[in-house]
Amino acid sequence: MSLIDKFTTDIGIDLGTCNTLIFVRGKGKVIDEPSVVAFEKGTGKVIAVGEDARLMLDKCPNTIVAVRPLADGVISDGDSTEKMIKYFISKVIPKHHIFKSIRMKIGIPSGITQVERKAVVEAALKAGAKDVAVIEESLAAAIGAEIPIDAPAGHMVCDIGGGTTEVSVISLGGMVITSSIRVGGNAFDEAIVKHIRNTHGLIIGQRTAELLKITIGNAMPDKNIEKMEIKGRDAITGLPRSLEVDSVEVREALKEPITKVVEEIKKTLGGTPPELGADIIENGIVMTGGGSMLKGLQKLISKETSVPVLLVEKPLECVAKGAVEAFELFKNMSSNRSIYDNLNS
């Protein structure tokens, strides 16, 4: 074991709009909790973080506020994000190992601004990290999906997170072309909320919409029409009311955001160099992220693009897993390139 390994802990983080996942080199996944912080009004004292805080959403008394500190894949509340990361690190690193230096790689959407990128780094540094680097989510997802990114071949990755969808073509360890839109799992939920209110005059929360999406949601017509009963508040009377919704209606509600995702994939394919495009036809489009688990989405994208589509085994974990594996991978890639530098010198 080298001195770096002995005194350094390498952490990969998927700082998601909905969930935060943390992988530690040598240990694997150590944190998978909602990106939510609850604190006291006035004092700012943290009451709960993660799953405990999620249970408080929309149910807090006037003295407590529960918030999601990230929106559309970027930090909207720096102070809360810092406290959340600090809390998760305290769960990951035992107190008797606190002397260790912490190196972090954090997955970020490629489309964020320099200011948003800087906010991520500053929040991690304030939380206790000694060295912080960011990595584009689709590149991290590709590494986590065990795609040979350093090979001279084109691979397309579509990572659908809670706040963003990122589509990239990767070859020789870098992104040849990439695009990012602020449409993801949350937009799917919001579309369902909007549809139920406009069509049935029933107001439901995002958690109910998410349950509908997961339970009977689909992107393609299915022989079996599934049904589910939901409860909400009548938009006119304000009284509680229940409603039975079927999978056909949920698919109709999801049509707009799904179309945006499909169009972004087609646009990226259209801008891909021909030789890499041929590789993608052979290798397929790799789907990662929680949003990619929507029933029928894989089949729909393949139908619309005429390209095979592959859903990885654990799509939610790819970004965080890839971020921590990037430490060693980029180190090896750098060593290999130095061999050619010596030959050319």
Side-chain angles (χ1 to χ4, degrees):
M1 179 183 289
S2 68
L3 285 177
I4 292 178
D5 291 333
K6 187 175 180 181
F7 295 107
T8 303
T9 298
D10 289 340
I11 295 177
I13 300 182
D14 179 3
L15 204 58
T17 304
C18 299
N19 280 59
T20 293
L21 278 85
I22 298 179
F23 273 63
V24 174
R25 186 152 66 101
K27 293 183 179 179
K29 184 174 68 175
V30 292
I31 294 288
D32 181 0
E33 294 202 41
S35 302
V36 186
V37 180
F39 56 88
E40 283 184 351
K41 277 186 180 178
T43 66
K45 180 184 176 183
V46 175
I47 303 296
V49 177
E51 179 60 26
D52 291 338
R54 185 190 69 83
L55 295 173
M56 298 181 181
L57 283 171
D58 302 322
K59 297 179 181 179
C60 295
N62 293 333
T63 56
I64 299 175
V65 178
V67 299
R68 291 190 180 273
L70 294 108
D72 297 332
V74 298
I75 292 174
S76 58
D77 185 336
D79 187 52
S80 294
T81 303
E82 176 195 332
K83 289 174 179 176
M84 183 177 73
I85 296 174
K86 196 169 186 178
Y87 171 79
F88 288 145
I89 288 176
S90 71
K91 292 184 71 175
V92 171
I93 310 295
K95 287 185 178 179
H96 60 280
H97 286 164
I98 205 68
F99 65 87
K100 280 195 168 187
S101 175
I102 299 171
R103 295 195 305 176
M104 286 187 191
K105 275 198 189 295
I106 303 175
I108 59 167
S110 62
I112 69 173
T113 66
Q114 285 300 320
V115 173
E116 291 166 337
R117 184 182 294 245
K118 187 178 179 182
V120 172
V121 174
E122 287 183 350
L125 289 171
K126 288 179 181 178
K130 296 293 186 260
D131 181 27
V132 181
V134 295
I135 179 172
E136 286 81 0
E137 285 178 343
S138 53
L139 187 59
I143 297 169
E146 300 181 359
I147 291 173
I149 67 163
D150 54 339
H155 296 273
M156 174 171 274
V157 177
C158 177
D159 181 67
I160 307 176
T164 60
T165 291
E166 187 157 311
V167 188
S168 300
V169 176
I170 299 167
S171 179
L172 291 170
M175 294 193 297
V176 179
I177 182 171
T178 186
S179 63
S180 179
I181 55 172
R182 298 197 175 185
V183 175
N186 283 355
F188 294 172
D189 299 339
E190 288 164 8
I192 293 172
V193 171
K194 183 180 177 181
H195 176 86
I196 296 297
R197 177 164 187 163
N198 291 345
T199 306
H200 301 285
L202 187 70
I203 301 171
I204 60 171
Q206 281 205 309
R207 287 176 65 183
T208 300
E210 182 182 28
L211 189 60
L212 261 177
K213 176 185 69 180
I214 294 170
T215 308
I216 65 171
N218 59 76
M220 288 279 286
D222 200 316
K223 292 180 180 178
N224 299 321
I225 297 177
E226 300 176 289
K227 296 182 180 181
M228 178 178 165
E229 185 179 71
I230 58 173
K231 296 178 177 64
R233 177 166 55 87
D234 191 285
I236 297 175
T237 66
L239 297 175
R241 177 160 65 88
S242 61
L243 173 71
E244 187 176 72
V245 181
D246 64 35
S247 53
V248 176
E249 189 168 359
V250 175
R251 184 174 69 252
E252 186 62 31
L254 291 169
K255 188 174 181 179
E256 184 179 340
I258 287 174
T259 298
K260 290 179 180 178
V261 170
V262 172
E263 288 303 314
E264 196 65 22
I265 294 171
K266 289 165 77 172
K267 185 180 79 173
T268 307
L269 279 170
T272 302
E275 292 299 326
L276 294 179
D279 290 338
I280 292 168
I281 292 173
E282 184 177 339
N283 296 324
I285 299 169
V286 177
M287 302 284 292
T288 65
S292 65
M293 298 168 70
L294 178 67
K295 184 180 177 182
L297 184 57
Q298 178 184 354
K299 187 177 178 182
L300 175 67
I301 293 171
S302 181
K303 179 185 176 184
E304 291 289 328
T305 61
S306 300
V307 176
V309 177
L310 313 170
L311 179 63
V312 299
E313 187 178 347
K314 296 180 179 179
L316 286 163
E317 298 181 3
C318 287
V319 172
K321 180 185 176 188
V324 76
E325 289 179 353
F327 282 105
E328 195 67 24
L329 179 63
F330 289 159
K331 179 181 173 183
N332 292 337
M333 286 170 58
S334 179
S335 297
N336 291 338
R337 284 170 184 164
S338 67
I339 295 172
Y340 293 103
D341 290 340
N342 292 334
L343 289 172
N344 294 323
S345 62

